Amino acid sequence: MMVRLNTRHELPRIAMRTTQGRLEASEIIQPQPRSTSNRQARANKGATQPTLSIDSSSSRSVYGYKKQGDLAAERGQRGISDAQAATGRHASKAWSKATTAARRGNDVVQEIKSEVFSDYQARMVFTTAAIPDAQVQGYAGQVVGEPDPGNIAVDIETAPRARIQYTPGSVETYLQNEGFIRHWVTMDHYDIYA
């Protein structure tokens, strides 16, 4: 009989436990408007109407059409000068009558009659005068006002960094099986099932 040496072995095995690193964006801080100013732009412009000034008082006065104030002033001045002239004339006539009325041939009544009827024999007097043109003054329309450019401003508050959570990964190695070598003997055959 022959002795046979049987050997069984298993290699050692190394295993690894790995954990993936994780990056979690738990919260991304959105920019927030803190204060806003929104004043819309405005033209604030307007146009004045063109105007035309016509002064025809100088040409109308030649025709005798005068303003009430001008006519009253002119008639008032004329009344004052007529009253002064009449007063002076009547005073000189009265003085003349007082000194010469008692003389013979001085007919006072006839003199008064001739004075009264002389107004009826007065002749009309026509005068010609150049009629001045009316004074016309035109004023162009103007654009007035100042534009307002407005003001639109937004103050935005931002975070300096995002809130991110990072979990680092890990690798752990360990001996899963230490391995072995076994020997035994059998007679006349190999133990292939052991």
Side-chain angles (χ1 to χ4, degrees):
M1 275 217 215
M2 199 179 220
V3 179
R4 307 270 185 197
L5 177 62
N6 293 294
T7 303
R8 181 175 172 120
H9 72 87
E10 190 173 311
L11 293 173
R13 280 188 292 183
I14 297 174
M16 290 194 305
R17 272 189 210 103
T18 61
T19 304
Q20 296 283 339
R22 289 189 341 192
L23 180 65
E24 295 177 3
S26 59
E27 184 180 356
I28 295 177
I29 302 169
Q30 296 294 329
Q32 297 294 325
R34 194 162 43 189
S35 64
T36 59
S37 169
N38 187 357
R39 193 176 84 244
Q40 295 295 320
R42 295 181 183 273
N44 288 340
K45 290 280 192 179
T48 61
Q49 293 291 327
T51 56
L52 188 64
S53 170
I54 301 174
D55 183 11
S56 61
S57 59
S58 59
S59 60
R60 285 185 293 125
S61 65
V62 172
Y63 288 108
Y65 299 107
K66 298 180 181 178
K67 293 181 186 174
Q68 190 65 31
D70 295 342
L71 187 61
E74 182 184 318
R75 294 296 179 195
Q77 188 62 40
R78 184 174 172 189
I80 290 171
S81 64
D82 285 352
Q84 288 173 345
T87 302
R89 191 174 66 246
H90 288 309
S92 68
K93 279 187 182 179
W95 187 253
S96 174
K97 298 280 187 236
T99 57
T100 62
R103 293 189 185 156
R104 186 177 284 232
N106 191 3
D107 191 358
V108 176
V109 175
Q110 185 62 32
E111 189 176 327
I112 291 173
K113 280 185 184 179
S114 68
E115 186 178 327
V116 168
F117 287 111
S118 69
D119 289 341
Y120 291 111
Q121 296 172 357
R123 297 184 183 201
M124 295 187 78
V125 177
F126 293 98
T127 58
T128 59
I131 299 171
D133 293 332
Q135 296 176 356
V136 178
Q137 185 75 36
Y139 302 96
Q142 296 178 344
V143 176
V144 294
E146 289 295 324
D148 181 8
N151 183 11
I152 298 176
V154 179
D155 186 9
I156 298 176
E157 182 179 4
T158 58
R161 62 182 71 83
R163 291 184 186 144
I164 296 173
Q165 184 175 358
Y166 173 67
T167 305
S170 64
V171 176
E172 180 186 354
T173 59
Y174 61 94
L175 189 59
Q176 187 177 19
N177 191 354
E178 293 181 4
F180 60 89
I181 298 176
R182 286 191 212 130
H183 301 284
W184 69 95
V185 284
T186 55
M187 301 302 275
D188 285 334
H189 68 282
Y190 285 109
D191 189 2
I192 61 171
Y193 297 107

